[in-house]
Amino acid sequence: MRQDMSESLYQKAVKLMPGGVNSPVRAFLSVNRSSVFMERAKGDKIYDVDGNEYIDYVCSWGPGILGHSHPKVIEAVKEACERGLTFGAPTRNEIVLAEMIQGLMPSMEVMRMVNSGTEATMSAIRTARGYTGRDKIIKFKGCYHGHSDGLLVKAGSAALTSSVPDSAGVPASYTENTLVAFYNDKKSVEELFEKNKDEIACVIVEPIAANMGVVLPEEGFLEFLREITNKYGAVLIFDEVITGFRIGLGGAQEYYKVTPDMTTLGKIVGGGMPMAVYGGKKEIMEHVSPIGKVYQAGTLSGNPIATAAGITTLCLLVKKEEKEGLYKKLEKKTTRIASSLRKIGLQVNQKGSLLCGYCTKQEVKNYEDALTSDTKKYAEFFSYLLDNGIYVAPSQFEAMFLSDAHSDEDIEKTCRIIEDFVTVQVGLAHSAVQDRMKD
Ligand code: HOZ
């Protein structure tokens, strides 16, 4: 595999950007390689600057549910560009997108469009605090809700692999109101509520945790969060930045039949453009400026190019679900990949088109279980896949994503390559023994 151009771009990039990247996980640090620079992507394939082709299971970390560069989405974006890139004023398409979101996710009675998941979660929490008049929040160890100061406590995603779970540069006073409970552990939540009666503004949770690999909620866990937040008058926020429109058209809240008070969306909702949304109950969202006292604003919020991409993506998802049962199809393909990962001894968690293969023997039900993974082994697996044209997350603690564009042929090819990993490893070990015998 040629990597000359990637390597030379990397040498330039490290002088200009921290780690040569604009988002930490892209630096490939936890898999001991230098980043691959990508040039273009189409369908289920992504191509690097050296001309290498990969079957892509990163899908831009989630937005690419239709595959890359869907012709209809590209057409909508081009058409929107012709009309103007940004107005900083309301447009009709913001209403169209909001109505679509509300139709698919009825708990989103009132919403606000922003540009990133970080912005959505930060604003949702501010709103919950403004609404309840309380300061404390509960988050879960290993759940990631973006990089705003108050949420970088025991966070997942790259904060986990770079071993800086609590980021430098965050004053202790910013996180003193962030209480941390354990995922799938009801008791830890009960204790925090009992100790902090009438002080907790909200509980924020990824209904499927997808930033410490993929950890599924145990039966009754989300229902329990609904009950306890109701009991103590706290707002329940589902961070569906990853699960929204991925687990099904109505997200994880529809799948698990638990309705939160507020929801955050990102990734798929922007169809590949920077777009995120927070919203929920009208009586809560009425606290947002300009009608309420919770301030939040943004020049590019509801951007016309992003709304065009988002609307077209959601329309295609609805049509495909009605015509072909899209989500069942996605799940079937993903289950095939999961079975190959299990065959080579990985511990696999999967829901729909979201999955993670952990290099551990232990069942993974929370952050501590995820940390039992052999990250060195994962790095070897990652490198082997990359060198064989399969692109998965360069970190043990990120999810794998499938798209509608993944062909059966490419899935089968991927499974063959995954299943060969064990043979290759045995081969490597064998040649290492032979080398030693020569010495
Ligand atoms: N926070 C994203 C993974 N959970 C990574 C974003 C990126 O590097 O593009």
Side-chain angles (χ1 to χ4, degrees), residues 220-265:
F221 182 60
L222 298 175
E223 289 82 349
F224 158 79
L225 293 181
R226 181 61 285 178
E227 279 159 27
I228 196 158
T229 43
N230 279 346
K231 178 174 166 195
Y232 287 94
V235 174
L236 178 61
I237 306 174
F238 275 5
D239 179 346
E240 295 228 45
V241 167
I242 288 184
T243 51
F245 312 113
R246 177 154 292 276
I247 294 309
L249 288 172
Q253 53 194 267
E254 180 186 61
Y255 184 88
Y256 289 109
K257 298 186 177 53
V258 177
T259 308
D261 302 304
M262 294 186 81
T263 300
T264 57
L265 298 168

Side-chain angles (χ1 to χ4, degrees), residues 389-438:
I390 311 290
Y391 179 48
V392 298
S395 160
Q396 170 70 92
F397 305 110
E398 301 283 359
M400 259 175 105
F401 297 90
L402 267 83
S403 78
D404 185 44
H406 280 88
S407 65
D408 289 344
E409 196 189 341
D410 285 340
I411 300 277
E412 287 311 314
K413 182 176 169 190
T414 306
C415 290
R416 270 197 311 278
I417 292 173
I418 290 175
E419 288 168 28
D420 276 352
F421 179 59
V422 180
T423 327
V424 171
Q425 277 206 316
V426 173
L428 284 177
H430 182 68
S431 59
V433 171
Q434 284 184 332
D435 285 349
R436 236 175 284 137
M437 280 162 72
K438 268 189 236 150

Side-chain angles (χ1 to χ4, degrees), residues 23 25-26 61 144 157 211 242 267 398:
S23 187
V25 71
R26 302 177 194 179
W61 308 98
Y144 179 71
S157 194
N211 284 285
I242 288 184
K267 304 198 190 261
E398 301 283 359

